[in-house]
Each structure stands twice: as C-alpha cells, then as structure tokens.
Amino acid sequence: MTSYLCAIGTATPPHRIAQPQIASFMAEALQFDEANTRKLRALYRVTGIGHRHSVLPDYGRANGDYTFFPNTPGLEPFPSVGQRMGVYRQQALPLSVAAAQDCLRQVPEVALSTITHLVTVSCTGMYAPGLDIELVQALGLSPNIRRTCVNFMGCYAAFNALKLAEAFCQADAQARVLIVCTELCTIHFQKNPEDDHLVSNALFGDGSAAALVQAAPAQQGPSLALTAFHCALEPDGHADMAWHINDFGFEMTLSSYVPRMIQKGIRKLTEDLLQKLPVKLRDIHSFAIHPGGRKILETIEQELGMSTDDNRFAYRVLRDYGNMSSATVLFVLRELLGSLTAADAGAPVLSFAFGPGLTLEAMLLQVQYA
C-alpha cells in the first residue's frame, strides 16, 4: 500500500535579515579587526544566501538595540542554555501552528478530527510537556492522537519523520499523519572564531514546515507517492558534522570536509536506492535536495550529472531562507510541489538530506495528480 505526501505548509519568523547585515553583527560580536571582517564578509557573500529569518531581531540591529544579547562589548555575559531554551519555548509553538495551518488549508477535505498521528521534529530545543502536546491543544487536534517526537537528529530528520508516517499508514489505511519540523537555529549563535563555527553562523536560519501524509492522494492537485527510502553512513565524516549541547547553547560543528564526504558516498547512495526499482537516474528530472550549503549542491551536481537548473528549488530555498535544519528539505519539496502540473503525473522525484554521522538519506517519490 502506497503512502502519499499530500500537502506541505511553511512558516518563518517575522525578522527577515539580509546576509550582509548578519555579517556585520557577527564581526562586531566577535570583535574582529578590519582584515578579519573583510574575510568574514567574503564568506557570507559566497554562501548563496540572500536573507535568513530569525526569531531574534538582534541580527539586524546594532549593539545598544539588542533585545536578547547583552548590549555590551563581546555580548557578555553570553546567554546561557536556559535563556536560549526560554526563547524556544516562547517562539516554537506559534511558528509551528502557522506552518500546520498553512498545510491543512491546502487539504480542506481533511477534518482535524481525522488526523490520527502527530510527529514533531526538532534539534534546536526540547522541553516537557513539549511542543507536541502544545500543538494538539493549539490546533484543536484529538487528545487521543498518537504523538511521536523526533529529536536531535539534525538536518535529515524530516526523512525519519516521513518514514514513520509511511509505517503508520502501512499499518492502518485510515491513518493521517501530520508532521511538523520546527527549528530555531539562530538562538544558538556561538561566539567562536574557529572556521567551523564561522561557517555554521553563516548558514543557519529559523523556520517551520508541516506535511500531511496519508494512504490516499489529495483530492485535488499534486501529491507525492512515497516510493522508496535508503540511508547510509559515512563514518569517516563522523567528526565533520556534529551538534552538542554546551553551557552557552547548542554548538554546531560543520567542517569544510562535509562536501567531500558527500561526494564520496552520493553516487552509491543513489544506486542503492534505485537498484530494485524500475527507475534509472537518467529517468529522473525532478530533484528536491537539502541545501546544506552551496558547495554541497554543487558537489552533488558534479557527481550525478545534474544541472544547476535541476537543483533550482534547492538554490531558491537556500537564497531566501538559508539552512533551517530539518525543515529545509520540506521547504524544497513545497517549491517543487507548487511547480507541478497534470503533465508531470507519474514523474519520479529524487530527494536527499544529510546530517550528523555523517548520515546520507535518499528518497524516491512519484508525482500523482488529481
């Protein structure tokens, strides 16, 4: 029995900040001299990011007007984990509700009372009673809904949520699964001048995406049939992408070797996904790739013989939002869904996401059109 991704909703915080403004904030926070500031601005220019969204207005302001970070040289005392989790508890719910409502508006035939499962995904905040329970109450979902939390898996976690949703639908043809991925990456800015941290600070933004999965396609417009999944690990990249809780927030390690690790494994990942399917790579012309960074997208294009236009949805999301961890690939899939017409029915779609481990996830979908 096939399961279908029927609708995707998205939401971002109100503070939309241009990449050069964020670079100015970072240079001042890190107390960089003129030479290092020029290097930092160059790094921000080559990311392919135009704007990012944040629940914090500070990244677009000057010292003296901050609302979260201290208005002091060096931002001392630097905000603690507790302060950052306070922002998460306050901001994650309204953003999640907005994404879920955007998703459900697209499938008016789906009554709230018929949603049987809720899967919440996040690696940027945790508390209990948590986001899952608050979403049930805020959306008016059944108190008997089956709740699952996918926590701290990073950028590929939406794939795990989709696998869960598929399993629920396989077990029960009446299952309707609402997935909500919410990430507030920008509350975890680390004041560290090492290259890995500078890269992380240059890429990540805040956002939420919600998806509805069920055992039947949507009654109108396009849906995506969940056809196959495949996961692989590149242990040599174990230390190149990591996410740890420290005294001043969650600390991301993202080394320049990540694209090289993905280059090493992406072709085999694709071959392993497709080997038992009646689909060849040459048959695929639609892609939804997690834009972990511009270099990652370029590396995959080179390895799989893709064009920049093949990757246009990923570049568009990277430009407008940056990397929002688990929510990002759903933003890309939403862009793709919005481009589909009845002429695309039956077309295969290849999707990838990557995260700590180094984990490489692949998914094949097929366009359905009602």
Side-chain angles (χ1 to χ4, degrees), residues 2 16-17 40 62-63 70 102 111 164 177 180 221 245 253 261-262 276 296 298 312 318 320 338-339 342 351 355 363:
T2 304
R16 179 176 178 266
I17 307 168
L40 188 70
N63 197 317
D102 185 38
L164 280 171
V177 186
V180 182
I245 300 175
T253 298
M261 292 296 104
I262 292 174
K276 295 181 180 180
I296 288 173
E298 292 172 346
R312 62 192 180 279
L318 182 66
D320 294 342
S339 74
S351 185
M363 173 173 60

Side-chain angles (χ1 to χ4, degrees), residues 217-236:
Q219 292 182 6
Q220 295 182 6
S223 300
L224 294 171
L226 303 178
T227 304
F229 294 90
H230 188 72
C231 176
L233 288 173
E234 285 292 334
D236 289 347

Side-chain angles (χ1 to χ4, degrees), residues 8-12 95 98-100 102-103 106 208-210 321 327 330-331 334:
I8 300 173
T10 58
T12 51
L95 198 60
D102 185 38
C103 173
Q106 300 168 40
S208 180
Y321 306 100
L330 291 179
F331 272 68
R334 175 177 171 136

Side-chain angles (χ1 to χ4, degrees), residues 236-258:
D236 289 347
H238 184 83
D240 292 304
M241 189 183 294
W243 191 227
H244 300 288
I245 300 175
N246 69 15
D247 294 338
F248 299 102
F250 299 177
E251 185 172 313
M252 165 64 78
T253 298
L254 186 62
S255 85
S256 59
Y257 293 103
V258 169

Side-chain angles (χ1 to χ4, degrees), residues 264-318:
K264 180 180 176 183
I266 194 68
R267 177 163 285 279
K268 186 175 188 307
L269 178 77
T270 306
E271 291 171 350
D272 290 346
L273 172 73
L274 300 179
Q275 64 177 345
K276 295 181 180 180
L277 300 171
V279 178
K280 304 298 182 184
L281 180 58
R282 63 176 176 271
D283 302 323
I284 302 173
H285 304 288
S286 295
F287 298 86
I289 299 176
H290 167 70
R294 195 185 75 174
K295 184 64 175 176
I296 288 173
L297 296 178
E298 292 172 346
T299 296
I300 294 171
E301 291 164 11
Q302 293 165 8
E303 287 299 301
L304 299 186
M306 297 168 54
S307 69
T308 301
D309 186 64
D310 290 334
N311 236 349
R312 62 192 180 279
F313 303 117
Y315 282 114
R316 194 178 302 167
V317 170
L318 182 66

Side-chain angles (χ1 to χ4, degrees), residues 182-201:
T182 300
E183 304 290 8
L184 306 187
C185 304
T186 68
I187 65 175
H188 295 294
F189 161 55
Q190 296 297 301
K191 196 179 57 171
N192 189 318
E194 294 180 5
D195 288 348
D196 291 356
H197 293 276
L198 296 181
V199 171
S200 298
N201 291 337

